[in-house]
Amino acid sequence: MIARRLTTFKITSLWIYLILPIAVQSASHQARIQNTDYWDLRYIANCVGLETSWILPNEQLKLYSSQIDLRFQLHKKEYTHNDLKVYLGYPVAKHRGSLYISKNDFRKVLIPLLVPKAIKNPKKLYRIVIDPGHGGKDPGTQNHRYNLSEKDLVLKVAQKLKLLLQKRGYKVLMTRNSDVFLRLEERAEFSNRNRADLFLSLHFNAASTKSVHGLETFLYTPPYQPSTYRTKYLASDKIIRKGNINDDWNIIVGSLVQRRILMTMRLKDRGIKKARFQVLRDITSPGMLLELGFLSNDATARSLRSDDYLFNLALSITNGVLDYQKLLNLLRSR
Ligand SMILES: [Zn+2]
C-alpha cells in the first residue's frame, strides 16, 4: 500500500490551482471556523475529480480515485495521503454535515501534493548540502547502554549518503565532515553560500518513553499556521521567513524522501511534521530535517550499531532524492 505514488500526475489541470480558490470563495462551501477559513472537503473532491465516501459517518472521510486515497478524520491534524501520514496546520472540522479543511492547508499541502505541476518554476537539482546535526561539544541525544551518540551516527549516515549521491552525479557538500561544533545559523549560511538546491539535515531523536519509535520528517512551518506541536496560533506565525520561500517544494520533496525511507526501512510512520526550527528557517533552498529513529528505543539502537543499517538509511534517502529528481524532470518536460 505504501508503494502507491504520493504525487499523482494524472490530475493535470492547472485550473484546480487557478480557478478552484475563486470557485470555493464564491460558493457556499466555505466556513469560518475558530477564526480560520475552511473549505468543504466534499466540494474540493468534486472539483478535483475525486470520489468521496464516509469511512465512519460524520467522523472519517475518504477522497479517492484509482490512484489517490486521502483519509481525513474529524478533529485530527494528521491525514493520510496514499498511506503516508501528513500533518495539517489545523485540525479537520465538521460543518453542515461535511468535513472541512483549512484553506491554508488546502493551499500548502493538498495542492503541492496533488497538483505539483501547479507549482511555479520547477527547481534544478545539482548541489545538495547534507547537514549532520550536532557535533563537537554537542553530542545530541545518546544511548549509553549501546554507547551511541547522535553526532557520530548522523556523520556516518551523511558520509555514506554523500558517496551515494555523488555516484548519481550530484555535487554534494557537508556542513561538517568531522566531529566539530557548528552553530545552527552557520549551517544555513553554509548551505546558502554554496547555493544549495536541496538541504538535508540529519538527526536521530529520543523520547522519555522507551517504546516510542519510528521516522518523522520536519519541514519549516508555512506562514499563518501553528507548528505541529502547538495548537495556538501566534501573531509571530504570520512572519514569512527565507525558509518559507520553498514551502511547496518542501512538502513535495519531504514526502518523497519520507516515503522512500519507510518503504525500505520498515520504520513506523510518525508523519511529515512542521516546526520553526532555526536550521530550516534561513535556508533559501528546499530542505528538511530528518529524524531517522529514536536512540532511546533499544531495538532501534541495536539496529543502528550495524553499518549495513546505516548504509540502507543513506540509500533510502538517496532514492527519495532521485524520486524528487524524476518529478522535477517530468514537470520541466511539460
Ligand atoms: Zn538532533
Side-chain angles (χ1 to χ4, degrees):
M1 290 288 277
I2 201 89
R4 215 162 13 198
R5 298 193 81 104
L6 182 68
T7 45
T8 303
F9 311 130
K10 287 220 164 157
I11 293 185
T12 52
S13 44
L14 204 58
W15 70 268
I16 293 165
Y17 173 64
L18 299 171
I19 305 299
L20 184 60
I22 301 162
V24 175
Q25 271 169 1
S26 62
S28 59
H29 308 286
Q30 54 178 334
R32 185 92 179 146
I33 300 169
Q34 298 202 329
N35 285 324
T36 305
D37 289 326
Y38 272 74
W39 287 351
D40 186 345
L41 273 169
R42 288 196 296 196
Y43 184 73
I44 290 172
N46 193 28
C47 291
V48 300
L50 297 176
E51 304 284 321
T52 60
S53 72
W54 289 108
I55 301 165
L56 192 64
N58 297 313
E59 295 276 333
Q60 290 177 36
L61 185 68
K62 181 165 93 162
L63 277 59
Y64 65 97
S65 68
S66 59
Q67 299 236 341
I68 299 174
D69 184 305
L70 316 180
R71 291 172 189 230
F72 298 87
Q73 188 168 351
L74 178 62
H75 302 317
K76 294 278 187 190
K77 264 192 181 184
E78 70 267 34
Y79 81 105
T80 56
H81 195 118
N82 287 355
D83 302 312
L84 190 77
K85 192 189 283 187
V86 180
Y87 278 79
L88 302 165
Y90 295 91
V92 171
K94 191 162 73 177
H95 187 71
R96 291 194 207 115
S98 185
L99 294 190
Y100 280 57
I101 64 159
S102 79
K103 180 180 164 185
N104 186 298
D105 286 310
F106 169 72
R107 177 61 194 84
K108 290 294 182 180
V109 179
L110 290 196
I111 286 287
L113 293 184
L114 286 173
V115 203
K117 73 171 289 188
I119 311 306
K120 283 180 202 151
N121 306 323
K123 300 277 164 184
K124 74 175 170 61
L125 181 57
Y126 174 55
R127 302 165 82 89
I128 299 175
V129 166
I130 305 171
D131 173 45
H134 312 278
K137 66 181 181 185
D138 171 15
T141 188
Q142 291 174 288
N143 183 316
H144 296 291
R145 184 173 173 196
Y146 291 101
N147 194 26
L148 295 171
S149 280
E150 182 184 358
K151 67 172 183 177
D152 300 329
L153 288 169
V154 289
L155 184 58
K156 283 183 189 169
V157 176
Q159 285 164 338
K160 295 176 196 310
L161 178 58
K162 181 181 181 182
L163 289 176
L164 286 164
L165 289 169
Q166 278 176 332
K167 271 192 198 159
R168 305 306 296 242
Y170 294 104
K171 167 102 177 151
V172 185
L173 298 111
M174 284 170 52
T175 54
R176 68 178 178 92
N177 203 7
S178 61
D179 185 17
V180 293
F181 177 77
L182 280 178
R183 286 180 288 116
L184 293 172
E185 55 268 35
E186 289 178 282
R187 298 170 190 266
E189 276 165 24
F190 175 89
S191 187
N192 295 345
R193 192 168 63 242
N194 286 289
R195 306 191 316 280
D197 301 312
L198 181 64
F199 177 81
L200 301 168
S201 190
L202 308 185
H203 290 255
F204 289 91
N205 50 8
S208 50
T209 309
K210 281 185 128 193
S211 58
V212 173
H213 65 103
L215 172 78
E216 52 197 21
T217 295
F218 284 91
L219 309 176
Y220 193 69
T221 312
Y224 299 97
Q225 62 170 258
S227 295
T228 300
Y229 288 121
R230 272 200 296 106
T231 48
K232 254 191 156 177
Y233 177 76
L234 306 174
S236 59
D237 294 343
K238 287 182 197 165
I239 302 171
I240 299 170
R241 308 278 191 179
K242 279 183 200 158
N244 288 125
I245 300 168
N246 294 294
D247 283 343
D248 295 328
W249 298 110
N250 289 344
I251 185 116
I252 289 171
V253 62
S255 305
L256 291 170
V257 171
Q258 168 95 351
R259 178 175 295 274
R260 271 292 179 172
I261 304 173
L262 291 173
M263 281 166 65
T264 312
M265 307 307 292
R266 299 185 182 278
L267 289 162
K268 181 183 173 189
D269 180 9
R270 292 178 53 82
I272 304 286
K273 298 181 176 179
K274 320 278 174 55
R276 290 191 167 87
F277 289 145
Q278 192 181 343
V279 75
L280 298 177
R281 186 187 67 196
D282 297 325
I283 52 169
T284 51
S285 71
M288 72 195 77
L289 187 146
L290 294 158
E291 294 280 7
L292 295 165
F294 283 74
L295 274 189
S296 46
N297 179 266
D298 280 343
T300 305
R302 277 195 296 276
S303 302
L304 290 170
R305 292 188 302 175
S306 148
D307 218 42
D308 281 353
Y309 186 90
L310 299 181
F311 176 82
N312 284 331
L313 267 179
L315 185 60
S316 60
I317 298 168
T318 305
N319 286 331
V321 171
L322 294 176
D323 287 345
Y324 176 51
Q325 178 78 73
K326 259 183 240 162
L327 174 60
L328 293 176
N329 293 347
L330 189 74
L331 295 175
R332 268 200 298 262
S333 69
R334 290 182 176 195

